[in-house]
Amino acid sequence: MDWLSSSPVTWYDALVVFLWGVVLMLVVLGFVTYAIYFERKVIGWMQYRQGPNRVGPLGLLQSVADILKLLIKEDTIPRKADRLLFVFAPVLAFIPSFAVLAVIPYTQKLYFADLNVGLLYYVALSGISTLAIVLGGWASNNKYALLGGMRSAAQMISYEVPLVISVTGVVMMSGTLNLRGIVDAQSGGWFWDWNFLPQIIGFAVFVVAAISELNRTPFDLPEAESELVAGYHVEYSGFRFAFFMLTEYVYVYAIAGLATTLFLGGWHAPAPFLDFIPGIIWFALKFAFIVFFLFWLRATLPRIRIDQLMGLGWKLLLPLSLVNIFLTALFYELFQR
Amino acid sequence: MKGMLKGMGVTLKALTAPKVTTSYPDTPYMMPERYRGIQHFIPELCIVCNQCARICPTECITLTGKPNPDPEKKGKVIDTFDLNFEICILCDLCTEVCPTEAIVMTGNFELAAYSRDELYKDREWLTDNNTRVREDNNNIGAPQKGGAK
């Protein structure tokens, strides 16, 4: 989309950009629908069950039916809720989750926005969703929702820090914040040129912090369906609840895309002789593996306690990510100059 | 950490392991050989001894007999035999006590109905309930005819 910066924007250009946005939206909605289906299937298989298999062939329409059910539900707003904020919170949660997808490059050619500060843009926008969760919890005027919102704010803020610091090592290695640049810096031909091996500490911290950012098991304390009532979205139903769920799964998409580009070499093949397979396939494979890994974790691990969560974030992940920065800097100072 | 990896291994193995669930309503579920399902009644064998009605803990069996239509034979033949599945607990006592095995258990278990009235099963219905009839009707090893020596 280089023509955008070179010539004045016409209505036609705006229309094209808008249509590409719609295409991405449809892709993401398709992903969310089948991520939910796949998650339920995988967890079912791991628990010696079949998973959904009634609606449509192999249960493929199960999530479609679920979403349809959510959309035709009665839309309730508690009488004493802060109406404006209550309505606004799901929207505010969803917009940044979709906006961050703009910077994720799929292949050398296929990307939406080529920002020089792509990584920074991602981190900055994804922080806004925390605000939306607190807002939703506050506006519901419900003690459980407020507690859930506070919990998730505490969790997301304390894990945002190690998440950002853990990717600093990657930025130092590639010398750019541009996500395409970061992927290009990993183009050695072999999989050990990808960042996840040289940055193994950073990668480990990133994975843990990312799962926590996504509020997924074992860090799903904000929702904790078996302990709290439902966390910050107790009072939400129908369409608005669907938006919170959508946000969650769009972030799964975003984090899987981000992990692929930052640590797993984006569209690069793991070995030079596999180069004939197009980059988009490699991207999709790595992406799918990360998504599967998240579901796999969910099927395996129990939820941790709130004090363990905070302890892990501040006492282990933060020092580790700082150590990672210093080790990277030391390595570059000693061997690369 | 080691425990976590172990757990991940367990779930990964379970991913491809055979599943324990069955597609029951689609394919009939075969109960084991000795299952105590809905009774099958054989009127020709019944001698109207009333033992089943007497032993029944929930008193769900009601039966009446009539004199044998063949004047040369003694005894009675069954006239009506009603079983109330609203209260029957399928305890196996009626089949255990029956001296002629005129009432036996089957492997069938589907009794759901829209109305309570449908749960009163009569002689014809019980006679027609003749699939998957239990073979071994003395699985507790009770002494047979003549009693213990």
Side-chain angles (χ1 to χ4, degrees), chain B residues 13-87:
Chain B
K13 248 181 246 148
L15 184 71
T16 51
K19 305 303 169 221
V20 295
T21 48
T22 60
S23 48
Y24 158 59
D26 299 336
T27 57
Y29 189 82
M30 286 301 173
M31 283 298 177
E33 194 58 21
R34 287 169 61 176
Y35 183 74
R36 306 198 303 249
I38 305 161
Q39 290 91 337
H40 167 52
F41 181 63
I42 308 155
E44 293 78 40
L45 294 180
C46 185
I47 55 171
V48 201
C49 64
N50 231 5
Q51 285 196 66
C52 51
R54 279 171 43 189
I55 195 104
C56 182
T58 58
E59 297 179 353
C60 64
I61 301 178
T62 325
L63 61 85
T64 55
K66 61 184 178 192
N68 201 323
D70 186 352
E72 287 172 21
K73 283 187 181 154
K74 290 193 284 181
K76 289 178 170 179
V77 292
I78 195 77
D79 187 20
T80 65
F81 187 93
D82 296 314
L83 228 165
N84 179 3
F85 279 103
E86 260 190 89
I87 52 177

Side-chain angles (χ1 to χ4, degrees), chain A residues 1 64 79 88 114 133 173 215 243 248 315 332 334:
Chain A
M1 291 190 183
V64 179
R79 194 154 48 88
F88 184 55
D114 191 21
I133 286 172
M173 281 185 71
N215 294 335
F243 256 76
E248 218 163 89
K315 291 186 203 155
Y332 272 77
L334 294 181

Side-chain angles (χ1 to χ4, degrees), chain A residues 224-242:
Chain A
E225 62 266 33
S226 48
E227 295 169 18
L228 309 175
V229 185
Y232 58 89
H233 49 53
V234 193
E235 297 289 356
Y236 283 91
S237 74
F239 193 63
R240 294 179 219 287
F241 173 75

Side-chain angles (χ1 to χ4, degrees), chain A residues 64-98:
Chain A
V64 179
D66 288 345
I67 292 167
L68 192 71
K69 174 247 182 190
L70 274 181
L71 294 188
I72 58 177
K73 264 180 90 161
E74 186 189 354
D75 182 27
T76 56
I77 299 179
R79 194 154 48 88
K80 297 240 171 138
D82 189 330
R83 227 187 140 78
L84 182 67
L85 292 185
F86 190 86
V87 173
F88 184 55
V91 181
L92 187 65
F94 175 68
I95 289 175
S97 77
F98 186 60

Side-chain angles (χ1 to χ4, degrees), chain A residues 216-259:
Chain A
R216 292 187 63 84
T217 331
F219 305 109
D220 60 342
L221 287 110
E223 277 162 76
E225 62 266 33
S226 48
E227 295 169 18
L228 309 175
V229 185
Y232 58 89
H233 49 53
V234 193
E235 297 289 356
Y236 283 91
S237 74
F239 193 63
R240 294 179 219 287
F241 173 75
F243 256 76
F244 274 122
M245 286 307 278
L246 184 64
T247 307
E248 218 163 89
Y249 279 89
V250 173
Y251 267 122
V252 169
Y253 182 99
I255 283 283
L258 193 67

